[in-house]
């Protein structure tokens, strides 16, 4: 741009704003938070080691060899280093941090809570006693930061409504204390070898589906007969259930049967004692069960016997005996079929489950039959598992 002689220099507003009035690198403006660093919660606010340099800096300001401007610049630099070092310091390790007992923001197994319970296998009475004591630090499931927890039990494999037990529900707590004992009847030594107890903690909701919190599983083979074993387990995420089990062998409950061959009466006495944990067939969550027995082959169709109906129960007690007149030598050719039914008015009765005892059976059913044949005039009682596999050709009531 050339100027004529006598003209004044004019600068436009754009040129004026473009003039570099602050040469050198632009320094960021400090924020008040830079001078007051936040320390992790739970740790004492110790001064960073770089602060000692700032202290020595103050003593140096008394020296007259340097000007005030250089002192201020150096002090700013040292302050930057001091608090920059504090900000760049690595966060404290997890071991140093105090755990936040109330905070459960992740799905890690340690945040689901712990469960205190004990198990006892009563071998003489074929019963498994499960005492649910308490839980601690459960994961919050409701909007108020709490839960409404309860515990339910299943026996695997073959988990179904027939073998489900549950505790009462405790409201608005993450540390519930139940002190409640749930009992499985009809547990055999064979069950103790192959079964696993699944213990689940859930949150009950009135207006939607109940929510799963966590679970733990105990193989029953870990238990010793007639000895209580205590557990304090961390809850885990829901584990997949093996779907390879044969659906035809789904458990539908247990039944206790007694067998006795009477030499005096020349016949077989079959006792239907009780059932436990039957499948619920009615809308009210119960059944109206009764039991039928057949001794087959039955050419004359006269071997049918039936117990009384027990209303609205899944654990009926019958204590009824039926007599079959038969020669001892013929028993080895016979099969005893026992079926449990749910009585319904005005429609067909529902099949709950059944079991067959005889020479063609296996496992405990075969052993029970042989024990009866080998021990005349002695009553032999056994628990048996009911399955949804209908014995023989009995397809209706």
């Amino acid at each position: 741009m050339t100027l004529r002689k006598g003209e004044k220099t004019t600068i436009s507003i754009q040129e004026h704003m473009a003039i570099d009035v602050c040469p050198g690198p632009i320094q960021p403006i400090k924020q008040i938070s830079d001078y007051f660093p936040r320390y992790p919660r739970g740790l004492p606010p110790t001064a960073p080691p770089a602060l000692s340099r700032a202290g020595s800096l103050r003593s140096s300001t008394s020296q007259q060899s340097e000007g005030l401007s250089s002192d201020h610049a150096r002090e700013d630099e040292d302050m930057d280093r001091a608090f920059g070092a504090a900000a760049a310091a690595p966060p404290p390790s997890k071991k140093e941090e105090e755990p936040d007992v109330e905070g459960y923001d992740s799905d890690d197994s340690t945040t689901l809570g712990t469960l205190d319970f004990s198990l006892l296998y009563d071998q003489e009475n074929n019963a498994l006693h499960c005492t649910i004591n308490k839980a601690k630090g459960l994961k919050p499931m409701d909007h108020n930061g709490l839960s409404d927890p309860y515990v339910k039990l299943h026996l695997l494999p073959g988990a179904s409504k027939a073998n489900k037990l549950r505790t009462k529900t405790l409201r608005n707590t993450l540390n519930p204390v139940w002190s409640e004992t749930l009992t499985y009847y009809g547990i055999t030594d064979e069950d103790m070898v192959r079964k696993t107890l699944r213990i689940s903690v859930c949150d009950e909701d009135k207006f939607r589906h109940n929510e799963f919190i966590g679970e733990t599983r105990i193989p029953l083979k870990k238990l010793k007969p007639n000895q209580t074993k205590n557990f304090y387990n961390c809850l885990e995420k829901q584990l997949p259930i093996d779907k390879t089990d044969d659906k035809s062998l789904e458990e539908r409950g247990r039944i206790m049967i007694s067998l006795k061959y009477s030499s005096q009466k020349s016949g077989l006495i079959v006792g239907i004692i009780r059932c436990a944990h039957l499948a619920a067939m009615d809308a009210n969550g119960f059944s109206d069960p009764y039991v039928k027995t057949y001794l087959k082959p039955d050419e004359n169709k006269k071997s049918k016997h039936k117990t009384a109906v027990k209303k609205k129960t899944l654990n009926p007690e019958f204590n009824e005996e039926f007599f079959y007149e038969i020669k001892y030598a013929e028993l080895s050719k016979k099969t005893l079929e026992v079926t449990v039914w749910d009585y319904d008015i005005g429609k067909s009765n529902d099949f709950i489950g059944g079991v067959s005892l005889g020479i063609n059976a296996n496992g405990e059913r075969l052993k029970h039959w042989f024990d009866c044949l080998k021990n005349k005039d002695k009553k032999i009682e056994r628990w048996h598992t009911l399955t949804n596999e209908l014995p023989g050709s009995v397809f209706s009531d």
Side-chain angles (χ1 to χ4, degrees):
M1 178 179 176
T2 58
L3 295 177
R4 295 180 183 180
K5 190 175 181 180
E7 288 185 356
K8 294 182 179 181
T9 304
T10 59
I11 300 175
S12 65
I13 186 64
Q14 291 83 0
E15 293 174 325
H16 178 76
M17 297 299 293
I19 293 176
D20 188 358
V21 296
C22 183
I26 299 176
Q27 300 292 332
I29 300 175
K30 295 183 177 61
Q31 298 182 5
I32 190 67
S33 60
D34 293 338
Y35 299 97
F36 298 93
R38 295 182 180 180
Y39 294 95
R41 190 173 68 177
L43 294 179
T46 57
L51 282 177
S52 60
R53 300 180 61 185
S56 62
L57 180 64
R58 295 193 189 96
S59 63
S60 66
T61 56
S62 60
Q63 299 178 2
Q64 301 298 326
S65 61
E66 296 182 0
L68 290 177
S69 60
S70 62
D71 288 342
H72 287 304
R74 191 178 305 166
E75 185 176 0
D76 287 344
E77 291 178 2
D78 286 348
M79 195 67 84
D80 290 341
R81 293 193 193 101
F83 290 103
S93 63
K94 292 184 178 180
K95 293 182 180 179
E96 297 175 356
E97 292 183 355
E98 294 183 2
D100 188 1
V101 178
E102 298 297 330
Y104 294 99
D105 296 330
S106 71
D107 286 333
D108 205 8
S109 62
T110 57
T111 68
L112 299 178
T114 56
L115 185 64
D116 182 353
F117 61 97
S118 64
L119 301 177
L120 169 63
Y121 173 49
D122 184 351
Q123 190 175 35
E124 182 179 355
N125 297 311
N126 295 106
L128 176 64
H129 303 288
C130 313
T131 301
I132 308 300
N133 296 319
K134 60 184 179 179
K136 186 177 180 181
L138 294 181
K139 180 179 179 181
M141 304 300 290
D142 298 336
H143 295 300
N144 60 1
L146 300 172
S147 295
D148 301 321
Y150 67 92
V151 177
K152 64 179 180 179
L153 311 179
H154 282 104
L155 284 174
L156 304 175
S160 65
K161 291 182 179 179
N163 62 37
K164 183 183 80 171
L165 299 176
R166 63 163 286 174
T167 67
K168 59 188 176 184
T169 300
L170 300 181
R171 302 290 176 184
N172 297 324
T173 178
L174 299 180
N175 301 288
V177 178
W178 288 283
S179 298
E180 192 171 341
T181 299
L182 307 174
T183 301
Y184 280 104
Y185 295 100
I187 301 297
T188 63
D189 292 341
E190 182 183 354
D191 292 327
M192 297 301 294
V193 173
R194 67 184 187 92
K195 291 282 188 180
T196 296
L197 180 66
R198 178 191 182 195
I199 306 177
S200 306
V201 181
C202 301
D203 170 59
E204 183 177 295
D205 286 317
K206 291 183 178 180
F207 304 107
R208 54 180 180 172
H209 292 296
N210 296 341
E211 296 180 287
F212 176 85
I213 296 178
E215 71 170 40
T216 184
R217 298 187 184 184
I218 305 296
L220 297 185
K221 60 185 178 182
K222 289 186 176 182
L223 305 180
K224 295 181 179 179
N226 306 314
Q227 293 185 18
T228 301
K229 186 169 184 178
N230 298 311
F231 296 87
Y232 190 75
N233 290 8
C234 288
L235 297 176
E236 302 177 88
K237 297 179 182 179
Q238 192 164 16
L239 302 173
I241 297 178
D242 189 5
K243 300 295 184 180
T244 59
D245 297 334
D246 188 358
K247 293 293 184 180
S248 66
L249 298 180
E250 178 188 351
E251 291 189 12
R252 309 299 292 272
R254 300 291 175 94
I255 185 169
M256 178 181 272
I257 301 171
S258 67
L259 298 178
K260 174 184 175 182
Y261 185 81
S262 174
S263 301
Q264 184 179 358
K265 296 182 179 180
S266 298
L268 177 67
I269 301 175
V270 178
I272 304 299
I273 301 172
R274 63 180 297 181
C275 294
H277 314 302
L278 295 179
M281 307 302 290
D282 297 335
N284 59 7
F286 293 97
S287 294
D288 301 320
Y290 66 95
V291 180
K292 293 192 306 176
T293 64
Y294 292 87
L295 191 61
K296 294 191 172 184
D298 181 20
E299 298 177 355
N300 299 323
K301 297 184 179 181
K302 293 182 179 180
S303 69
K304 175 181 174 181
H305 290 284
K306 184 188 298 186
T307 68
V309 176
K310 302 296 181 179
K311 293 289 186 179
K312 199 177 179 181
T313 178
L314 301 180
N315 299 280
E317 292 190 24
F318 298 100
N319 293 315
E320 297 187 35
E321 290 186 341
F322 307 121
F323 178 76
Y324 291 99
E325 186 176 354
I326 185 174
K327 295 179 180 180
Y328 176 77
E330 296 179 0
L331 271 183
S332 60
K333 303 176 184 178
K334 295 290 186 178
T335 297
L336 178 67
E337 292 184 354
V338 181
T339 55
V340 183
W341 299 79
D342 170 54
Y343 177 76
D344 288 319
I345 300 176
K347 59 179 182 179
S348 298
N349 298 329
D350 298 319
F351 173 71
I352 296 178
V355 62
S356 296
L357 308 179
I359 194 66
N360 296 319
N362 51 39
E364 284 293 322
R365 297 170 291 175
L366 177 61
K367 186 175 183 298
H368 193 185
W369 191 254
F370 271 138
D371 287 345
C372 173
L373 297 179
K374 290 189 296 183
N375 299 278
K376 292 183 180 180
D377 301 310
K378 181 180 179 181
K379 182 186 289 187
I380 309 293
E381 295 181 352
R382 293 282 191 278
W383 280 96
H384 296 284
T385 300
L386 298 171
T387 70
N388 62 345
E389 190 174 37
L390 202 59
S393 58
V394 183
F395 292 99
S396 62
D397 182 22

